[in-house]
Amino acid sequence: MTKRKAPPDPMELLALYRMMLMVRRSEERLMGLFADGDVPGFIHLGIGQEAVPVGVMSGLGPQDTIASTHRGHGHALAKGLSLEGFFAELLGKDTGLCRGRGGSMHVADMSTGMLGANGIVGAGLSIALGSALAHKTLNRDSISVAFFGDGALAEGLAHECLNMAALLKLPLLFVCENNGWSEFSPTSRQIAFTLEGLSQAYGIPYHSVDGNDVEVVAASVAPLIAGIRQGGGPIVVECHTNRVRGHFEGDAQKYRDADELARLPEADPLRVAGKRLADLGINAAHLEQVAAEVDEAIEAAVSLARQSDLPVFSAAAADVYTVEQVL
Amino acid sequence: MAILSFSRAINKALSDMMDLDPAVILLGEDIANAGGSFGATRGLLDRFGGHRVIDTPISEAAIAGAAVGAAMSGLRPVVEIMFMDFSTLVMDALVNQAAKARFMFGAQCSVPMVLRTPHGGGLNAGPQHSQCLEAWFAHVPGLKVVVPSDAASAYALLRSAIADPDPVIFVENKALYAAKMEVPDDLALSLGRARLARQGKDATVVAYGAAVHWALEAAARLAEKQIDIEVVDLLSVQPWDEEMVLTSLAKTHRLVVAHEAVEAFGVGAEIVARMADIGFDELDGPIVRVGAPFMPVPFARSLEESFRPDADRIVNAVLRTLE
Ligand SMILES: Cc1ncc(C[n+]2csc(CCOP(=O)(O)OP(=O)(O)O)c2C)c(N)n1
Ligand SMILES: [Mg+2]
């Protein structure tokens, strides 16, 4: 499954490029904000992996749901979260999508079907499984997508979810973002099987996709999503991509060899899509214009977030349960 | 009004709520075709169909995690975990996902799911099929924990639990499943409210689940000695009815807390600590706890009998606080 759509629509590809750039520049902005101490906690960046969320999300609508991971900024923005609410959340502000209670690892937006980043490796698969069950039970036309890393395949929960999705024939797309690493360990030291073999064992169709080419990702998942929507049952897509930054911001990646790191720029999804756009006649000036617009939107969101109020402790404490306990 | 066993009362509550709301679905191992390991879901597959009464594989973590995702996506799942001992396998879904979703997502959603599970001994089911682990869940902000003491409270509380917008752990004591009583159709009980099971003036015994029956038996025995105890049936463990317990303590000035779970670090410890604080001026004697000893639930009949708390121990505890 490495075919692109022919003939390509430059405007469609440009829209994907713009979203990837939005994700990239947002994360680059976060790097600075994090270094300055404006973003509390820790953040996991998906720089180098943008083609996966953007490509997959191009096939989804607002009625579709996704469950994300600790490396979820791309999923969030590509699913349509407001940039303002996103930055405010990561800066720990009351105007954040989660009112400053979740931060990077728990950013969510129910109104766009983004059921949350997740601090627990593998947990998103079961959230997406349940969401797919809801879509099916309530006869919705929606599908659910589980994003997860290669490392999550070592969690027993992932296996339970694959099995149950197959048994119940749920409208669920499993998207493995295989970046070759799980924290500081290569996939080869974590996973004794292939996802292809595993999918086969569960009787789930499997597709391997170049996760650095957004056009390929989008064109590959579109028919799969259509099939799932029509009741065809779950599908596994493995997107091969690269984690460019450390596991978390501040990880110097001493454990990666220079050769591997040197190969990364060539596979950069923005570079791949940019070259393709150039071939299709979109000139550099046009892309610079896109970048300027993206940066402007990000700056506006960051400055709004900076000016926003801090969360109120009593409001947070009052939101543990839905109904205030009246005893 | 009908005479129902505890497990039929559960069945009726499920079926009533499923009639009322098409979003209510049931998930669990052998709950559909087989009707549940304790028969609580018998007949529901035929009434509501396989899309709402779903047999799952033996995948507790995925079942509970799916319930969270389903609850966030418009369903009201009721999960059955065959024995509370197996709830060790659903901890992430409950503790890290269900309990926190509403809070950590800034109240964008709630997680209206119920996890039903049987606890308690008396069946000689041994160390891995007998435990009372409710204190674990009561310790987690965001979860509610309910332990009915009879068919009527089971019927009313399960309906409330399913209607509740937040995740509820609904604990069913295995020794109570067969006990029958009149169950009024219109009985409504709110989560978090206790019930005065017996009025008395000399001491208060706070209990929940099967221990309520031991407390009432103890009360009958103590009455022969002219000791008149009040019994508070907690019904909800999280949140619990602090006000009713304090009111009762203010009346009797002596307090015993009894449960089947292991005494150390248990639900009783929390009640005792709160009453030692806000009820300090009311206390005329030590607060005494009755719970199981700090050991796994043993198998042999004789061992399990010695292990489980009973009316005798409550009688002794009351006598101690009255000394
Ligand atoms: C249950 C659990 N175990 C361990 C961790 C710590 N942890 C966070 S991310 C991670 C690696 C995950 O690797 P992968 O799934 O490949 O995702 P990636 O970081 O590569 O995007 C680990 C071990 C965790 N958050 N949750
Ligand atoms: Mg990885």
Side-chain angles (χ1 to χ4, degrees):
Chain A
M1 272 270 210
T2 45
K3 286 237 175 63
R4 295 174 169 145
K5 199 166 82 180
D9 177 344
M11 285 306 124
E12 268 178 36
L13 182 56
L14 189 64
L16 299 179
Y17 177 89
R18 177 190 291 269
M19 183 50 83
M20 288 202 298
L21 195 65
M22 183 67 86
V23 175
R24 170 71 55 90
R25 295 281 226 229
S26 292
E27 289 204 316
E28 285 172 351
R29 192 71 182 85
L30 284 173
M31 281 164 57
L33 290 164
F34 182 80
D36 294 344
D38 289 337
V39 172
F42 44 99
I43 51 175
H44 306 87
L45 301 183
I47 289 179
Q49 306 188 183
E50 296 89 346
V52 181
V54 173
V56 171
M57 244 61 89
S58 72
L60 302 182
Q63 79 284 2
D64 298 315
T65 46
I66 67 164
S68 168
T69 69
H70 56 285
R71 204 175 301 286
H73 303 154
H75 308 135
L77 294 174
K79 193 70 176 71
L81 270 71
S82 96
L83 208 52
E84 291 78 15
F86 173 81
F87 274 104
E89 184 58 30
L90 272 89
L91 268 67
K93 296 301 183 78
D94 199 36
T95 49
L97 278 159
C98 305
R99 303 196 62 186
R101 297 170 202 164
S104 165
M105 256 190 298
H106 306 289
V107 68
D109 179 16
M110 300 304 141
S111 69
T112 57
M114 159 53 169
L115 304 183
N118 213 305
I120 307 297
V121 169
L125 283 99
S126 64
I127 305 281
L129 179 81
S131 191
L133 178 66
H135 296 328
K136 184 172 173 168
T137 308
L138 298 172
N139 285 316
R140 294 184 186 130
D141 190 27
S142 315
I143 78 153
S144 157
V145 180
F147 288 96
F148 56 98
D150 45 287
L153 287 170
E155 287 285 0
L157 183 58
H159 298 252
E160 292 187 11
C161 289
L162 286 162
N163 182 48
M164 213 188 289
L167 279 171
L168 301 178
K169 219 176 171 204
L170 296 179
L172 178 52
L173 180 67
F174 290 98
V175 178
C176 177
E177 304 180 305
N178 187 344
N179 59 13
W181 290 90
S182 141
E183 278 190 358
F184 324 119
S185 302
T187 314
S188 58
R189 286 208 289 122
Q190 300 268 307
I191 306 296
F193 53 89
T194 64
L195 183 50
E196 180 171 17
L198 187 75
S199 306
Q200 200 175 18
Y202 290 116
I204 303 179
Y206 165 90
H207 300 272
S208 174
V209 168
D210 176 357
N212 298 320
D213 188 330
V214 74
E215 212 185 332
V216 169
V217 176
S220 302
V221 299
L224 305 180
I225 289 171
I228 294 172
R229 233 185 260 294
Q230 280 154 25
I235 293 178
V236 171
V237 171
E238 179 169 16
C239 298
H240 300 275
T241 181
N242 298 302
R243 191 191 82 200
V244 171
R245 303 286 297 175
H247 170 58
F248 51 81
E249 258 321 83
D251 165 14
Q253 307 210 73
K254 298 232 167 77
Y255 49 91
R256 285 176 89 170
D257 62 52
D259 280 0
E260 190 206 348
L261 292 171
R263 283 195 304 272
L264 298 180
E266 204 191 331
D268 184 326
L270 279 168
R271 183 183 146 125
V272 172
K275 265 170 76 179
R276 180 82 170 147
L277 283 167
D279 292 347
L280 295 170
I282 307 279
N283 60 31
H286 197 147
L287 295 189
E288 273 165 34
Q289 174 63 26
V290 169
E293 287 164 14
V294 162
D295 284 343
E296 196 183 331
I298 291 170
E299 259 346 283
V302 170
S303 98
L304 194 65
R306 281 182 187 283
Q307 293 158 32
S308 295
D309 290 338
L310 292 171
V312 178
F313 185 82
S314 58
D319 270 341
V320 178
Y321 293 99
T322 305
V323 189
E324 281 264 48
Q325 291 306 313
V326 190
L327 291 180
Chain B
M1 184 91 76
I3 305 229
L4 297 176
S5 68
F6 191 100
S7 68
R8 293 317 292 167
I10 299 283
N11 189 281
K12 182 163 150 58
L14 292 171
S15 136
D16 286 2
M17 293 307 283
M18 290 180 83
D19 269 332
L20 217 61
D21 184 353
V24 177
I25 63 152
L26 311 183
L27 284 170
E29 296 159 17
D30 282 325
I31 62 155
N33 283 309
S37 292
F38 292 93
T41 51
R42 216 168 275 157
L44 298 178
L45 172 65
D46 288 343
R47 271 204 69 189
F48 297 102
H51 65 298
R52 292 182 70 193
V53 183
I54 302 168
D55 269 337
T56 65
I58 313 165
S59 303
E60 286 79 8
I63 298 167
V68 179
M72 287 168 69
S73 305
L75 290 181
R76 287 185 173 275
V78 181
V79 166
E80 177 175 304
I81 296 295
M82 201 182 289
F83 286 85
M84 192 171 211
D85 312 69
F86 311 160
S87 68
T88 50
L89 297 160
V90 304
M91 276 301 184
D92 184 65
L94 288 175
V95 175
N96 284 322
Q97 316 297 334
K100 292 171 176 57
R102 177 180 166 76
F103 175 84
M104 76 182 168
F105 299 150
Q108 289 182 61
C109 65
S110 57
V111 181
M113 66 176 279
V114 175
L115 185 139
R116 294 178 38 241
T117 192
H119 79 173
L123 305 185
N124 310 111
Q128 296 171 342
H129 289 72
S130 306
Q131 296 166 87
C132 298
L133 301 172
E134 55 277 4
W136 289 355
F137 298 101
H139 190 63
V140 179
L143 298 180
K144 294 178 178 174
V145 182
V146 176
V147 191
S149 59
D150 56 22
S153 57
Y155 174 65
L157 285 169
L158 184 52
R159 284 182 302 148
S160 300
I162 295 171
D164 196 272
D166 295 316
V168 180
I169 316 302
F170 189 90
V171 188
E172 303 164 9
N173 192 290
K174 289 189 279 261
L176 302 178
Y177 272 132
K180 290 185 178 175
M181 67 183 292
E182 279 194 356
V183 177
D185 288 332
D186 55 354
L187 180 64
L189 293 174
S190 304
L191 304 188
R193 299 264 191 187
R195 179 180 75 99
L196 204 55
R198 185 188 196 275
Q199 298 211 22
K201 59 178 185 1
D202 297 326
T204 297
V205 177
V206 175
Y208 63 86
V212 173
H213 301 278
W214 307 332
L216 291 172
E217 197 184 320
R221 259 185 252 167
L222 287 161
E224 292 164 14
K225 301 184 187 186
Q226 318 319 317
I227 297 169
D228 181 21
I229 66 168
E230 184 145 302
V231 177
V232 175
D233 177 358
L234 220 45
L235 297 176
S236 286
V237 158
Q238 180 63 270
W240 59 281
D241 197 339
E242 203 172 275
E243 194 181 295
M244 185 181 286
V245 175
L246 185 60
T247 304
S248 181
L249 175 61
K251 179 176 160 192
T252 66
H253 307 290
R254 317 267 172 172
L255 183 62
V256 169
V257 184
H259 51 57
E260 182 169 349
V262 164
E263 181 180 308
F265 294 87
V267 171
E270 173 65 19
I271 295 169
V272 168
R274 280 300 288 163
M275 289 304 132
D277 178 353
I278 61 175
F280 186 74
D281 293 337
E282 303 293 348
L283 285 165
D284 287 343
I287 315 181
V288 185
R289 282 180 294 164
V290 174
F294 197 59
M295 62 189 278
V297 185
F299 157 69
R301 212 168 261 142
S302 60
L303 290 176
E304 197 192 39
E305 262 167 33
S306 306
F307 172 85
R308 287 181 88 205
D310 56 13
D312 279 348
R313 284 196 216 169
I314 295 175
V315 167
N316 290 339
V318 169
L319 295 177
R320 246 194 80 202
T321 188
L322 287 170
E323 256 168 31

